[in-house]
Amino acid sequence: EEAERRAARAEEEARAARVAEQQAEEEALACQAVLQEAQGLSGHLSDASQKLAEREAALEARNQQLQRSEEQLAKLEVQAAAAQHEAENSRSQLGLVQAYQQELEANAAGLALAASKAATFEAAANDSEARHGEAARWAEALAAQLREEAGAARAAAERAAE
């Protein structure tokens, strides 16, 4: 009877061991499936990490390019402001030169009129030179001086026009 109980107990233990072994095999298979899934996820995660790193590098390159573009734009804005200031100065100087040229032209016209009058005086002086020798010489000297001044005014007007 003792032997039968031991045999029955041994059978139960053997069945329990087989059930435990089967459960262990099922758990091992489940663990292996989880491990394979984890390895697959790890591969996906690695690919995603690499793509993320590539995108971050591309974004950093774009940010650096944007920063360089902004710096270049700031330099160009400074240059444009300087060029505009220089253009305004040039326009102002051109206006002054044009006003000076107009003044010189007016002076030249006045001197030309004076030279014409001097020529008239000179002609009159030539006619009456015998009677008025000293007045004629004075008129000639005045005419010569006015011609010189007219020539100088014309030269100054030409220089200003250049």
Side-chain angles (χ1 to χ4, degrees):
E1 214 177 275
E2 182 69 32
E4 283 181 15
R5 274 190 282 169
R6 283 187 189 165
R9 202 178 290 158
E11 267 184 44
E12 279 183 39
E13 286 177 3
R15 250 184 288 171
R18 281 193 297 270
V19 167
E21 184 181 344
Q22 187 176 0
Q23 284 177 347
E25 286 177 6
E26 287 173 1
E27 286 178 9
L29 288 175
C31 285
Q32 190 173 8
V34 167
L35 179 63
Q36 287 175 350
E37 185 178 344
Q39 288 172 343
L41 290 175
S42 175
H44 288 305
L45 183 60
S46 176
D47 291 344
S49 292
Q50 183 178 355
K51 287 180 183 178
L52 180 61
E54 290 170 358
R55 287 183 182 164
E56 286 176 347
L59 182 60
E60 180 62 27
R62 285 185 188 146
N63 284 341
Q64 289 176 356
Q65 184 177 6
L66 178 62
Q67 184 176 3
R68 286 191 300 271
S69 296
E70 287 173 349
E71 290 169 357
Q72 194 173 26
L73 178 62
K75 287 177 185 176
L76 290 175
E77 286 174 346
V78 168
Q79 290 174 353
Q84 184 175 1
H85 182 68
E86 188 175 325
E88 289 171 1
N89 284 343
S90 294
R91 279 194 291 275
S92 175
Q93 289 175 354
L94 179 61
L96 293 174
V97 167
Q98 287 173 340
Y100 182 64
Q101 181 181 3
Q102 289 172 354
E103 184 180 335
L104 289 176
E105 288 172 357
N107 288 343
L111 289 174
L113 180 61
S116 172
K117 286 181 181 180
T120 303
F121 287 143
E122 187 177 3
N126 285 338
D127 286 343
S128 64
E129 186 175 336
R131 289 181 282 142
H132 307 287
E134 192 172 320
R137 284 189 293 281
W138 178 81
E140 283 180 30
L142 178 61
Q145 182 182 354
L146 291 173
R147 276 200 262 349
E148 286 178 20
E149 289 179 9
R154 280 191 200 101
E158 289 173 4
R159 283 192 302 275
E162 290 173 3

